[in-house]
Amino acid sequence: MTTHLSRRTLLGLAGAGAGAFLLSACGDDESSDPNAPQTINWWHIQNTEPMLPVWAALANEYKAAHSNVTLDIQPLENEAFKAKLTTATQAGDPPDLFQSWGGGVLKQQVDAGLVKDITDDVKPWIGGLLPAAMEPYTIDDKIYGVPFDIGMVGFWYNKDLFARAGITAAPTTWAGVLDAVRQLKTAGITPIALAGKDKWPAHFYWSYLAMRIGGVGALQKAVDDKNFDTPDLVAAGDRLKELVDLQPFQKGFLGAAYGTPDGQAATMGNGGAAMELMGQWAPAVQASSSTSKKGLGDKLGFFPFPTVEGGKGATTEVFGGGNGFAIGKDAPAATVDFLKFLLSADNQRKSAQTGAVLPTVKEAATAIPDANGKLVAETLAGYTGFQLYLDQAYAPALGSQINDSVAELVAGNKSPAQIVKDITQVAKTV
């Protein structure tokens, strides 16, 4: 649900769908000669401002220095990317360089022999990246992808709308979030924007509540035991239902996508709702999706997902992830070198300066331009536990079921007790 980072980035991004452009004529990419013509098929999901032109400019820069390399680029909207990649991987023909969030999806690709082990290739320079960022891309102590972005999910809020409702401080407890929702509704303000159609944004709520109630280990134990039908995870659904029962979301949220002109990000960027629970890419997508193309600017604030009264989890246990790239099994030799180029400190600074990327290269952190981005980076730096998005951390079938089940809870079609039984049923099969 990235989209940017967006997971998801998201994780879903606004704007055009699939597109492609060719930087030069195709050549033979099978040769072992580094000077022979090579074509790199590159699929990414930064298909809108501000990252779309950054990637294009970097591709042109690399091409200018490597005249034998062609970059065949397809910028894809998040959901379109996932569908296209599924078709390609099922056919055993992955692109050479493609968006990855690591975790269970990447492991499945590794097990199927679809991606390259790049451990030795990246060894000379991978030490410059944040260790936490590498975790989702390291499987059985081998590296199968490299992240260019790392961050966390939290609440983004409209300071003006909070003030209009008389909310003087960001909530620090779940009860405080519910109270804020009530105050906003009383003031005639839509409390929360949600992309119900895309499903993945809703799973952020249940996942974080599970972490705050049971601690970050509760989700790992559920996977290990193949049992999500536990008191803590049922309680997570109960707490989410408390929110749903307040009817906090924008009109038509069940049919709303994340990045469309009438979707979640646009609703926030246009001032139509007071809050959204989203990843570090949120400000950039809000801006690109808004009518003004500027978003909320300094009216936008951020606060971490709060504690749940009586819960075992702390606010230093974070839920999130990042964007990265994996390399397909038949990728030409230049692909790893191009990935290294994208991850250079200078190029990471260029990405960070857009506000859409929180860099993984340690040296580039100083380029984060805004206070909210720095706050996210500082919060993440102090983490005591980290959970990758569940629909990426787990096997695809299990991740999809979690998204589907949480969506059913949010729509009022199933109870908290029912959804954990459905998730458990799938967990036992993967």
Side-chain angles (χ1 to χ4, degrees):
M1 351 184 305
T2 215
T3 147
H4 312 328
L5 204 200
S6 180
R7 259 179 4 65
R8 278 101 238 319
T9 172
L10 94 295
L11 346 137
L13 298 179
F21 60 90
L22 196 61
L23 296 181
S24 70
C26 293
D28 176 19
D29 60 7
E30 298 298 322
S31 173
S32 60
D33 179 1
N35 295 315
Q38 300 178 54
T39 297
I40 300 171
N41 294 304
W42 180 22
W43 296 5
H44 68 72
I45 64 168
Q46 284 67 45
N47 68 313
T48 67
E49 297 277 355
M51 279 303 295
L52 178 62
V54 173
W55 283 152
L58 291 179
N60 279 315
E61 184 179 338
Y62 187 84
K63 172 67 178 67
H66 302 81
S67 59
N68 64 311
V69 176
T70 294
L71 285 154
D72 183 357
I73 309 176
Q74 293 197 46
L76 297 157
E77 183 275 332
N78 182 70
E79 297 302 320
F81 161 78
K82 289 189 288 185
K84 189 176 179 71
L85 183 66
T86 297
T87 300
T89 53
Q90 286 176 345
D93 187 26
D96 300 318
L97 184 67
F98 61 93
Q99 167 76 28
S100 175
W101 297 281
V105 176
L106 180 59
K107 184 178 187 306
Q108 190 174 68
Q109 293 163 349
V110 170
D111 291 344
L114 295 171
V115 293
K116 283 188 176 181
D117 173 358
I118 56 174
T119 308
D120 292 337
D121 297 316
V122 302
K123 190 176 295 183
W125 52 272
I126 204 69
L129 275 65
L130 296 167
M134 287 302 304
E135 289 182 17
Y137 301 88
T138 305
I139 299 169
D140 296 330
D141 297 323
K142 295 181 179 180
I143 297 171
Y144 291 94
V146 178
F148 64 84
D149 170 67
I150 182 67
M152 60 179 283
V153 172
F155 277 104
W156 298 89
Y157 71 101
N158 186 315
K159 296 177 184 178
D160 284 359
L161 296 183
F162 266 44
R164 191 187 307 172
I167 303 169
T168 58
T172 58
T173 66
W174 183 246
V177 171
L178 300 181
D179 286 341
V181 167
R182 295 184 185 100
Q183 284 182 256
L184 289 160
K185 292 197 71 171
T186 298
I189 298 166
T190 298
I192 300 174
L194 181 66
K197 180 180 179 181
D198 283 345
K199 298 182 181 179
W200 58 262
H203 108 282
F204 291 171
Y205 288 88
W206 184 81
S207 304
Y208 247 136
L209 286 165
M211 290 171 59
R212 294 293 185 261
I213 293 168
V216 70
L219 290 167
Q220 185 59 51
K221 188 175 190 305
V223 174
D224 293 343
D225 295 347
K226 295 184 180 294
N227 179 31
F228 285 74
D229 192 358
T230 66
D232 285 342
L233 300 188
V234 173
D238 289 335
R239 300 288 80 76
L240 177 53
K241 189 173 184 300
E242 292 174 347
L243 176 66
V244 172
D245 288 346
L246 294 177
Q247 298 182 346
F249 309 120
Q250 82 274 23
K251 184 178 180 181
F253 78 92
L254 288 175
Y258 175 58
T260 55
D262 60 348
Q264 176 175 332
T267 300
M268 277 297 297
N270 291 325
M275 288 183 281
E276 69 167 336
L277 184 64
M278 191 49 62
Q280 66 275 16
W281 58 88
V285 189
Q286 288 175 15
S288 66
S289 303
S290 68
T291 302
S292 68
K293 301 303 178 185
K294 296 179 180 179
L296 298 177
D298 59 8
K299 297 177 183 178
L300 186 67
F302 174 85
F303 62 92
F305 197 95
T307 58
V308 175
E309 298 82 345
K312 308 178 190 74
T315 54
T316 51
E317 293 178 347
V318 301
F319 177 81
N323 289 286
F325 292 114
I327 295 179
K329 62 183 178 67
D330 297 323
T335 310
V336 175
D337 186 64
F338 177 59
L339 183 57
K340 177 184 176 182
F341 170 77
L342 293 178
L343 269 291
S344 72
D346 284 346
N347 289 335
Q348 276 266 279
R349 290 187 189 99
K350 292 175 185 176
S351 297
Q353 286 165 358
T354 67
V357 165
L358 290 183
T360 55
V361 173
K362 300 169 190 175
E363 291 181 34
T366 55
I368 298 172
D370 67 287
N372 287 324
K374 291 175 182 176
L375 178 58
V376 172
E378 289 167 4
T379 304
L380 186 61
Y383 81 101
T384 58
F386 186 86
Q387 174 61 56
L388 182 65
Y389 317 110
L390 301 191
D391 58 354
Q392 298 298 321
Y394 302 158
L398 179 56
S400 294
Q401 183 60 53
I402 290 172
N403 283 348
D404 290 344
S405 290
V406 174
E408 289 181 308
L409 174 61
V410 170
N413 297 331
K414 289 200 173 180
S415 70
Q418 288 173 313
I419 70 164
V420 294
K421 287 180 170 58
D422 292 344
I423 295 169
T424 296
Q425 186 174 358
V426 175
K428 291 182 182 300
T429 68
V430 297

